Amino acid sequence: MIHGISEILPDQLSRRQDILLSIRKVFEASHFQAITTPTFEPIEALSKGWDQFLKTSSIQFISDEGTHMVLRPEMTSSIARLISSRKEQLKLPLQLYYMENVFRRKHQLRKQELFQIGCEVIGKDDLDIDIAILQLLVQVLHAVGVHDFKIELGHVEHIQQLSPADQEALRQGMIVNVSVIPPIGDASILPKGSYLARLATQWDQRFPHYKGLLQYNLGKVESIDYYTGIMFDVLIEGVGAVVGRGGRYNDLLSAYGWNEPAVGFAIEFDQLALFLEKENT
Amino acid sequence: MSRILTIGLSKGYLMKEALHYFETVGIIAEPYNDRQLILWDTTHQVRFLILRPTDVPVYVQQGIVDLGVTGLDMIREEEPDVCVLRDLKFGACRLSVCGDVNRPLSELTHGVRVATKFTNCTQKYFESLGIKVDIIKLYGSVELAAITGLSDFVVDLVATGKTLEENGLKEQITLFDSTAHLVANPVFYSLHFEQIKRFIAK
């Protein structure tokens, strides 16, 4: 038996495809186009924008021709590599979505094969588009029947104010070693004039019916460190792991030769499907 | 708040001290007997699950329990995705390389066999030294491996050193010191930060 892969039988698959279809409708109604990328490719090309986490958690092998290959460990860098190499054929801004499997090295309870649903907006960098991405995430969750959730937001500008030791401790979850614990809460914890404070004001004005859906964490860090602006997680009460995450990564595409900003999110479909199956029984 | 808080505790001698810690933050367990797997606090707002020490990190990571008490040794070994909130400062021990009293440390070099329950910590430690060792995974009475010749050295937890001494073994190098720590599921940490604060207050 191989650890960390999923086998899905027809009944379960049919339920999952219903969920995927309703998500696809949301993306397409917002004028996002589907994209796919090669499952594996030479690591030299794909890993240009990677941090240590992606390098050490990806599954690598040597091809028949002796090329060092890697199975894509996530879609964002894979898409960045693909579109940057074909930039002459593409028109900005690009609004892309995907539903694909990605692969990670075996680590304790984590799966080796994950199914991720996500989207990217490339070529736009302002508050409006960051809010639009969050709104899209809310619409996707509502469309599949998830209503009791929070989106927790952080921003790199708050993390950068912490000492390197505190940043590292937060990244490792070692709250015990953090000198001053950064607060988590509603918009009242946000420093005046900060990007998140402006985002919070706009959000509440535009979506009064989504009140209380966002929360803020001034110590938010992500295991993947290519984020340059907002970062966020989807939290559902009673689900032990984060169901989705995303953020802004304005420097990632330039690692692949296209100097364009980007923002996006990915949903861990296995976590989401598991939650929905439990809810509906 | 009506949501019940669930806390995973390690069965055994650490349990009493863990319950004592929770008393200091106002959570008082009802009387219990040794066969009980679930205990409640006097207000019935908090439920304790009594788990095997090695299982606590899994329960916390999966969110089956909100909080757990586990040793730093288990956290370093299992590397679970959890938030480590507080050093509870009891259950002190060390993870150490031990060997026969007559065996010089100079023999700890490439190709030696090391028996341990802590394969991840052991592997990382010897890798950091650049020494290639053969690790033998055991589940109990690790000292016997060194005595019987199954391995050349062992890596195991040492509290007083008495067991080692009685078996003709010596503690050679300490990998790290360990004590009981309070850990939280990361999603619970974010969603219930206000409730978490009282556990991390210094």
Side-chain angles (χ1 to χ4, degrees), chain B residues 73-119:
Chain B
D73 52 312
M74 286 309 305
I75 298 167
R76 293 267 185 98
E77 178 62 19
E78 300 291 330
E79 301 184 83
D81 295 324
V82 300
C83 294
V84 181
L85 301 184
R86 192 186 181 98
D87 180 358
L88 298 175
K89 306 224 162 94
F90 60 80
C93 57
R94 321 177 274 285
L95 189 67
S96 298
V97 180
C98 310
D100 190 291
V101 283
N102 298 317
R103 188 155 204 157
L105 199 55
S106 58
E107 288 186 20
L108 186 59
T109 179
H110 298 290
V112 297
R113 293 159 304 156
V114 180
T116 185
K117 286 186 250 183
F118 294 84
T119 51

Side-chain angles (χ1 to χ4, degrees), chain B residues 3-9 15-32 39-49 66-69 85 88 182 188 195-200:
Chain B
R3 185 186 187 283
I4 284 167
L5 179 69
T6 304
I7 303 173
L9 297 183
M15 189 169 137
K16 262 207 181 100
E17 301 207 54
L19 287 173
H20 179 72
Y21 160 72
F22 285 108
E23 279 178 22
T24 67
V25 290
I27 299 171
I28 297 153
E30 286 189 329
Y32 61 94
L39 321 179
W40 289 87
D41 83 318
T42 49
T43 65
H44 282 225
Q45 291 301 301
V46 181
R47 187 172 62 150
F48 294 102
L49 300 192
D66 305 316
L67 299 175
V69 175
L85 301 184
L88 298 175
L182 180 66
F188 177 80
Q195 207 179 339
I196 287 276
K197 272 189 190 162
R198 69 166 160 162
F199 297 108
I200 49 182

Side-chain angles (χ1 to χ4, degrees), chain A residues 149-170:
Chain A
F149 64 90
K150 290 234 181 213
I151 299 175
E152 182 177 80
L153 278 146
H155 194 288
V156 290
E157 72 173 335
H158 303 299
I159 293 300
Q160 283 160 355
Q161 285 166 17
L162 305 174
S163 71
D166 277 0
Q167 290 183 36
E168 189 51 29
L170 285 167

Side-chain angles (χ1 to χ4, degrees), chain A residues 228-241:
Chain A
T228 56
I230 57 163
M231 297 171 280
F232 50 89
D233 285 340
V234 178
L235 309 174
I236 301 179
E237 182 70 62
V239 180

Side-chain angles (χ1 to χ4, degrees), chain A residues 27 30-37 76 78-98 118-125 129 132-133 136 248-249 253 258-265:
Chain A
F27 282 134
S30 298
H31 310 290
F32 279 68
Q33 287 182 296
I35 187 168
T36 185
T37 68
T76 298
S78 192
I79 292 172
R81 203 280 309 151
L82 173 66
I83 60 173
S84 300
S85 70
R86 310 284 285 272
K87 58 186 175 193
E88 293 79 13
Q89 291 163 265
L90 299 165
K91 224 178 92 201
L92 292 175
L94 275 170
Q95 302 203 128
L96 305 170
Y97 80 91
Y98 56 84
C119 65
E120 328 267 344
V121 176
I122 293 123
K124 263 189 184 174
D125 180 14
I129 191 66
I133 275 288
L136 187 62
R248 175 161 285 286
Y249 34 92
L253 264 79
W258 202 11
N259 193 12
E260 288 295 337
V263 64
F265 65 76

Side-chain angles (χ1 to χ4, degrees), chain A residues 9-16:
Chain A
L9 292 173
D11 281 351
Q12 198 186 4
L13 184 61
S14 141
R15 284 196 299 277
R16 288 187 174 214

